[in-house]
Amino acid sequence: MNMLTRLLIAGALAGALGTSAAAEDTIKVGVVQPQAGECAQWGVPITRGVQIWAEEFNANGGIADATGKKHKIEVTGYDNNCYTAGDELNAFRRAILDDKVSFILQTFTPASRQAVAEITTENKVLTTSYGAGYLGPKYPFLIGSVTGSPASYMFLVSHLLESRPEIKRVAIVTADHSFGQAALAYYKAGLAPYLDRAEIVYSQPYDPASTSDMLGLATPVMASNPDLIVELGFTPGQQALFVEAMEQLGYKGLYGSEGWTMGLVTERVPAAEVAGRIFSAYVVDASEPNFSPRVSAFYKTYVEKFGEKEWSALASVAYAAMTTIEAGIQKSSDPTGAGVRDALFASDTVDQPLFGPSRWGGSEIFGANNWLMTPLPVYVTDDKGGVKVTAVVDVAAWWNAHKDAALPALSEGGQVSAK
Amino acid sequence: MQILLNCLSLTSFYLCFALGLALVFGVMRIINFAHGEFFMIGAYATYLCISTLSPQVGGPVAWAIGAIVAAAVTGLLGLVLHRTMVVPLGDKPLAIFISTLALSYVIQTIVVQIFGPVGLSIAPPMRGVVNFGGAILPASRLVVIGVAVVLAAGLWVFLMRSEAGRRIRAVAQNPRGALLQGIRTEKVGRLTLILGSSIAGICGAAMGPISQISPYMGAGTLWKAFIIIIVGGIGNIWGAVAAAAIFGVLDTLMSQFGAGRFLALTSAAVMLFVLSVKPSGLFGEKE
Amino acid sequence: MLEAKDLVLEYGGVRALNGMSFTASTEQVTAVVGSNGAGKTTLMNAICGLVKLASGEIRLDGAKLNGLAPDDIVRKGISLVPEGRELFPKLSVLENLLLGATVRPDPTRRRKTLERIFELFPVLANRQKQQAGRMSGGEQQMLAFGRALMAQPKMLLLDEPSIGLAPMVEEQLISAISDYSRESGIGVLIVEQNAMLALEYAQHAYVVEQGRVALSGPAAEIRDDPAVIASYLG
Ligand SMILES: Nc1ncnc2c1ncn2[C@@H]1O[C@H](COP(=O)(O)OP(=O)(O)O)[C@@H](O)[C@H]1O
Ligand SMILES: [Mg+2]
């Protein structure tokens, strides 16, 4: 055996032992999101959000489980090629079978979640999302860690109706794809309790291709003469173009959506003109400094690393979703997918690190209480193009009070899977 | 009235996008799959010019410079495409099609590497709104209409009145006949490709400020341009103008009356209908 | 003088020209006759650079033509009226004629040539704006002649000009061309299956068979030789 061969073998052994030793107490997290292509504009910030979450712990030696033992967190992004179900499953196979991850953050899109429901449950990989989609009693390992898409749409619009009785006419502008259809149903559900005093004046879905002609899309919306427009399906740039077109057509009412990239909007419309008129309800928007010091620290880290231009509130949404997993790891003495799930579901509330005590819910919609109903901050724009929290919706309370009105609308929109 | 202006505005966009494609296809019988990427490059060139120059020279001037740069860059790309693919692959239209498809992916990837996959938005260089009897037309859309009209009219004058234009038409109708007149068909092809590509670039410059720009914006629009040139009659530039108007009106009316989600479907249906009634397209010649 | 020496040309192993040699005066009408498939069109295309020779040489007034691009051959003074005419059907008569002058940019000479062509074929003058494709076969053939003459060639090549024309029109056209050739001092190389017609107007003639010259001589002799007619042109 010559010198070089020996050296190689030694190196290989050291490498193998080294990684297996590290693997013992490393927690592996997969992020299944578009990593390249057009949809990477969503997938990349989400992946970064999870990475920063992990780095915060790793900088202090890792995350401590219930026994006090620290685990480094290793985050890997897996490409799902713009949320197509087949690619979602392939990405999961790589993450679970090849890389042996214990936790995965994925989209809430029902079709994508359905594709991986079996594999995650069989392998006991705790799979969460920044929203609730395709949950159910057969799939205990699919959970929704926060109040996000699409339920947040319901709470946003209901909050606006409740806090502003002057709203009489609501236009719902959604894309004709599965996201958009879910959004339409949840918006309708949020409006359902108030239909005695407000009406839906526009709810025609549009072809995503027609967004290239924003004026053509905005003209019929304007003709329906709404006081509130809720939107879902535009990219940030399209949202800005839509607001610009509506303002040019003379619209003076309110806008609501999951989120807005205000920098793009104020490039086209003076911030003062839309101040107080644009509302959003992401799970949490870390760029707003007052809701939680921890998320605003996260925002600073993100901006330092990637620059302000690269910021997307989706990063904070992913970050927030991971903090629920974090609570489970900290309460568990066995930080595997199954162990963390047991710890999280040990009681019917979780002390969520960002949102405080939150109840498990969702059985009326999904047939299983696998969605953590975190309170939902609602944001409004100010005259400098920033956002501030205008209210925090007690999601569980609203749902208890209004589910009888809301459920039929969800059901009609094909969103209810509970028997 | 608003609907009418919307029709006009959309027609202009379709026209300006399809014009270069129809020209290249009509003259050279080449499908340039990278046409959409040339359009996208035009938009990005304009983005760069506006974001760097508009503080010094103001939005409109920065935009005009952007449009010139866009035309120059895409014209150069057309030249490169001609040199590296069209000439070497000569009379293998399928091979040219495949290589332009590859080129389109290469350009997309390069733009993603430079600017990132996330769409950008161009600060509108022309603000303000023009009123027409209660209807509005944003200034930036007026620019698109203007650009489309100037491009179409300019192309018409060039093709019908200049000697180079006459040669282009001759090659389009009968390349072998043209060769026998001593026309350098390769040069005519080069000019055509440069021209068609520049038109795509200018169109990108016009559309950039009113739509979101992204590395994939061209690919997303290309299918519509294909439908337009097929319906118009393959290779017939004036047919493309008519088809652009048909779809401009149809699509606007559909969005207006709540059928916006069926746009792709109806476009395909219109195309199939036209092909079944007149296989060579509305204004096409039998080949 | 247009000279061709030992031309060989193959289409995928099949020889279309098999050692063809001839000379044609740039002041006279020369006829090339032969049965269908003898290689006449191939010869014309080879002179114009549209197909590539395997070997052999073509010279015009001593200057080598083979190897040049088709447009350069036009510039050197060879104009072909091809089989099937190859007009630009949707362009106007005038545009077709002007395209013929692509290699001759001098406007005054262009003007003069155009006027002479209009004298020769008055129909073209009257129909300048008409689409070429909408004219009758005879008129289209006149346009094809006119377009070729616009290049001010030294040598005009005609490939089966009479195809598809009524005998009267046929005769009229060929006589116009041979008059023009005499007046302007240009050579004409005419290829015809209708051998009698070509031989009537030509001074010199070649009979080709299977890609090579079988017989040559003054046109009048060949026309009157019953043996030739029986064995080659029947
Ligand atoms: N493009 C071609 N490919 C293969 N063979 C050809 C081609 N053109 C002509 N030929 C063959 O070459 C020979 C000469 O043809 P051609 O020159 O057209 O004869 P002519 O004009 O005298 O009728 C014929 O046998 C013909 O079949
Ligand atoms: Mg022949």
Side-chain angles (χ1 to χ4, degrees):
Chain A
M1 214 185 279
N2 69 22
M3 186 65 184
L4 205 64
T5 323
R6 263 186 250 178
L7 213 61
L8 265 176
I9 291 175
L13 277 176
L17 293 175
T19 51
S20 68
E24 280 295 298
D25 44 316
T26 297
I27 290 176
K28 289 191 169 185
V29 176
V31 184
V32 177
Q33 287 287 332
Q35 303 292 332
E38 186 164 22
C39 299
Q41 61 180 302
W42 298 292
V44 166
I46 287 173
T47 310
R48 289 171 178 168
V50 179
Q51 272 156 350
I52 293 177
W53 168 76
E55 282 160 18
E56 284 176 5
F57 285 103
N58 290 344
N60 296 314
I63 182 170
D65 64 22
T67 68
K69 187 174 175 201
K70 284 197 168 179
H71 304 266
K72 289 266 187 184
I73 307 171
E74 186 185 311
V75 177
T76 312
Y78 298 90
D79 193 12
N80 66 358
N81 205 358
C82 211
Y83 308 107
T84 40
D87 292 302
E88 188 86 7
L89 179 57
N90 283 335
F92 268 68
R93 286 210 181 101
R94 266 179 289 134
I96 295 174
L97 305 177
D98 299 348
D99 295 351
K100 311 267 185 272
V101 304
S102 311
F103 305 95
I104 294 179
L105 178 75
Q106 67 162 163
T107 170
F108 71 89
T109 311
S112 296
R113 301 209 83 181
Q114 179 174 13
V116 302
E118 300 284 347
I119 190 174
T120 53
T121 303
E122 263 169 35
N123 293 282
K124 298 194 182 355
V125 170
L126 189 58
T127 301
T128 190
S129 175
Y130 33 84
Y134 204 72
L135 304 179
K138 275 165 65 191
Y139 308 112
F141 282 85
L142 282 190
I143 65 168
S145 332
V146 285
T147 300
S149 323
S152 55
Y153 314 148
M154 173 169 72
F155 299 118
L156 169 67
V157 75
S158 63
H159 166 74
L160 290 173
L161 268 281
E162 210 144 83
S163 59
R164 291 163 186 262
E166 70 273 18
I167 297 174
K168 298 273 185 266
R169 300 169 66 80
V170 182
I172 306 174
V173 179
T174 52
D176 191 34
H177 51 41
S178 70
F179 279 29
Q181 284 153 5
L184 179 60
Y186 275 89
Y187 277 138
K188 283 184 171 170
L191 289 166
Y194 313 99
L195 289 181
D196 52 338
R197 60 178 169 88
E199 62 176 316
I200 299 173
V201 293
Y202 185 93
S203 61
Q204 283 297 336
Y206 60 85
D207 178 342
S210 62
T211 51
S212 61
D213 178 34
M214 208 43 96
L215 195 60
L217 212 151
T219 302
V221 178
M222 187 61 202
S224 73
N225 192 25
D227 342 289
L228 167 65
I229 300 170
V230 286
E231 170 282 325
L232 199 104
F234 291 141
T235 63
Q238 290 165 351
Q239 284 183 324
L241 290 161
F242 178 72
V243 171
E244 179 189 43
M246 289 306 298
E247 295 294 305
Q248 285 169 337
L249 289 166
Y251 180 64
K252 297 275 179 264
L254 309 180
Y255 301 92
S257 179
E258 181 176 34
W260 304 85
T261 302
M262 285 310 295
L264 295 179
V265 175
T266 54
E267 217 170 57
R268 295 176 177 275
V269 179
E273 244 173 58
V274 288
R277 293 171 53 205
I278 298 187
F279 294 85
S280 60
Y282 267 132
V283 175
V284 61
D285 182 347
S287 68
E288 193 277 340
N290 298 318
F291 178 71
S292 145
R294 182 172 163 189
V295 290
S296 53
F298 161 75
Y299 174 71
K300 288 204 189 78
T301 311
Y302 188 102
V303 169
E304 266 166 32
K305 271 186 102 145
F306 304 110
E308 208 172 329
K309 271 211 162 273
E310 291 276 304
W311 169 250
S312 157
L314 287 171
S316 39
V317 167
Y319 182 88
M322 291 317 293
T323 58
T324 296
I325 300 293
E326 160 192 327
I329 294 173
Q330 286 167 339
K331 281 208 305 187
S332 167
S333 49
D334 163 34
T336 59
V340 169
R341 188 187 186 281
D342 289 345
L344 280 173
F345 286 86
S347 94
D348 61 2
T349 59
V350 172
D351 195 9
Q352 217 283 346
L354 298 181
F355 300 97
S358 309
R359 268 205 1 240
W360 288 107
S363 60
E364 300 89 344
I365 304 175
F366 307 111
N369 277 328
N370 289 346
W371 157 33
L372 192 64
M373 299 176 92
T374 53
L376 182 69
V378 173
Y379 298 89
V380 65
T381 50
D382 62 24
D383 56 6
K384 289 178 198 64
V387 293
K388 56 178 195 281
V389 177
T390 168
V392 179
V393 179
D394 184 344
V395 161
W398 186 90
W399 179 248
N400 272 336
H402 296 293
K403 62 186 172 196
D404 292 340
L407 267 171
L410 288 180
S411 178
E412 197 180 308
Q415 303 297 316
V416 174
S417 54
K419 303 268 152 37
Chain B
M1 186 64 190
Q2 187 66 51
I3 299 175
L4 205 70
L5 290 184
N6 290 356
C7 289
L8 190 64
S9 157
L10 191 60
T11 298
S12 304
F13 166 52
Y14 286 162
L15 175 58
C16 109
F17 191 90
L19 204 56
L21 198 67
L23 174 70
V24 169
F25 189 84
V27 175
M28 306 169 73
R29 295 293 185 271
I30 283 173
I31 298 174
N32 178 11
F33 217 90
H35 188 80
E37 277 59 45
F38 291 0
F39 166 73
M40 178 263 285
I41 296 264
Y44 273 88
T46 310
Y47 166 80
L48 282 181
C49 286
I50 287 185
S51 56
T52 56
L53 295 179
S54 67
Q56 287 92 14
V57 299
V61 176
W63 178 82
I65 296 173
I68 294 167
V69 171
V73 171
T74 50
L76 194 68
L77 278 171
L79 176 66
V80 171
L81 173 63
H82 186 257
R83 273 278 157 77
T84 57
M85 294 180 184
V86 176
V87 173
L89 295 175
D91 53 355
K92 302 188 196 77
L94 190 67
I96 293 174
F97 173 76
I98 302 281
S99 30
T100 60
L101 182 67
L103 177 68
S104 79
Y105 288 131
V106 170
I107 294 178
Q108 277 178 22
T109 311
I110 292 173
V111 172
V112 169
Q113 289 307 317
I114 299 174
F115 295 96
V118 180
L120 299 170
S121 95
I122 299 179
M126 268 68 71
R127 285 169 198 276
V129 167
V130 184
N131 278 288
F132 287 98
I136 61 130
L137 197 60
S140 45
R141 281 180 186 257
L142 216 54
V143 171
V144 177
I145 296 173
V147 165
V149 169
V150 168
L151 284 180
L155 189 62
W156 191 86
V157 169
F158 172 72
L159 288 178
M160 302 309 281
R161 292 288 143 83
S162 77
E163 243 183 81
R166 188 157 63 215
R167 265 179 244 148
I168 289 179
R169 283 182 295 142
V171 172
Q173 284 181 33
N174 186 348
R176 195 178 146 88
L179 205 57
L180 287 171
Q181 307 319 307
I183 294 172
R184 296 187 197 274
T185 48
E186 195 177 302
K187 245 168 105 179
V188 169
R190 187 170 69 205
L191 176 66
T192 306
L193 205 53
I194 291 174
L195 213 60
S197 306
S198 294
I199 291 175
I202 294 174
C203 180
M207 283 304 291
I210 66 163
S211 59
Q212 202 194 9
I213 70 170
S214 90
Y216 310 96
M217 64 192 287
T221 318
L222 195 64
W223 67 269
K224 191 75 184 209
F226 281 154
I227 290 185
I228 286 171
I229 64 172
I230 290 169
V231 167
I234 282 176
N236 187 317
I237 294 165
W238 319 122
V241 175
I246 291 172
F247 284 108
V249 172
L250 184 70
D251 292 0
T252 302
L253 292 182
M254 286 187 50
S255 316
Q256 183 66 30
F257 298 111
R261 66 181 130 154
F262 303 119
L263 278 184
L265 207 66
T266 37
S267 300
V270 168
M271 175 177 75
L272 292 177
F273 175 74
V274 168
L275 287 183
S276 66
V277 174
K278 200 157 179 290
S280 51
L282 288 180
F283 299 89
E285 296 291 300
K286 284 186 198 80
E287 302 250 347
Chain C
M1 187 80 85
L2 178 69
E3 301 164 273
K5 236 170 89 188
D6 299 327
L7 305 186
V8 176
L9 190 145
E10 296 184 347
Y11 292 114
V14 180
R15 286 207 168 183
L17 298 182
N18 189 11
M20 169 119 46
S21 301
F22 70 91
T23 56
S25 155
T26 46
E27 271 131 33
Q28 290 188 335
V29 178
T30 306
V32 175
V33 298
S35 57
N36 202 1
K40 306 182 296 291
T41 296
T42 305
L43 171 66
M44 295 300 213
N45 290 346
I47 297 171
C48 293
L50 294 174
V51 288
K52 249 184 121 165
L53 291 174
S55 66
E57 232 179 36
I58 303 168
R59 289 177 181 274
L60 180 65
D61 294 337
K64 207 172 117 184
L65 289 186
N66 54 310
L68 295 181
D71 54 87
D72 286 325
I73 294 176
V74 180
R75 263 177 202 88
K76 296 269 185 209
I78 302 273
S79 266
L80 170 68
V81 176
E83 216 173 353
R85 300 190 274 265
E86 309 270 10
L87 292 173
F88 306 113
K90 299 196 74 185
L91 266 52
S92 72
V93 166
L94 184 63
E95 285 178 318
N96 268 278
L97 290 170
L98 290 174
L99 282 161
T102 301
V103 298
R104 303 284 179 247
D106 175 16
T108 43
R109 288 204 54 196
R110 258 191 197 188
R111 175 98 256 130
K112 273 196 186 141
T113 318
L114 190 63
E115 274 163 18
R116 291 204 52 194
I117 288 164
F118 283 157
E119 272 168 37
L120 195 63
F121 304 117
V123 191
L124 300 184
N126 300 334
R127 304 258 175 106
Q128 291 181 42
K129 291 258 158 66
Q130 182 160 8
Q131 269 193 11
R134 300 236 167 126
M135 300 199 303
S136 74
E139 289 162 350
Q140 287 194 20
Q141 192 64 53
M142 290 178 203
L143 179 56
F145 286 163
R147 188 181 63 172
L149 293 174
M150 283 298 286
Q152 301 160 28
K154 290 183 189 160
M155 190 87 204
L156 181 65
L157 274 46
L158 308 175
D159 192 355
E160 311 265 8
S162 68
I163 251 177
L165 298 183
M168 263 252 308
V169 184
E170 203 174 297
E171 177 102 35
Q172 203 183 330
L173 273 176
I174 301 216
S175 103
I177 284 293
S178 77
D179 290 350
Y180 185 92
S181 133
R182 211 172 317 112
E183 282 167 37
S184 338
I186 67 169
V188 176
L189 182 64
I190 178 168
V191 152
E192 265 296 347
Q193 268 190 76
N194 183 351
M196 282 311 164
L197 182 67
L199 294 174
E200 193 176 321
Y201 287 93
Q203 280 82 45
H204 203 81
Y206 290 86
V207 179
V208 295
E209 192 193 37
Q210 291 181 357
R212 62 164 78 219
V213 173
L215 200 72
S216 67
E221 280 177 23
I222 292 200
R223 188 180 56 207
D224 298 334
D225 184 341
V228 170
I229 295 170
S231 47
Y232 301 111
L233 307 175

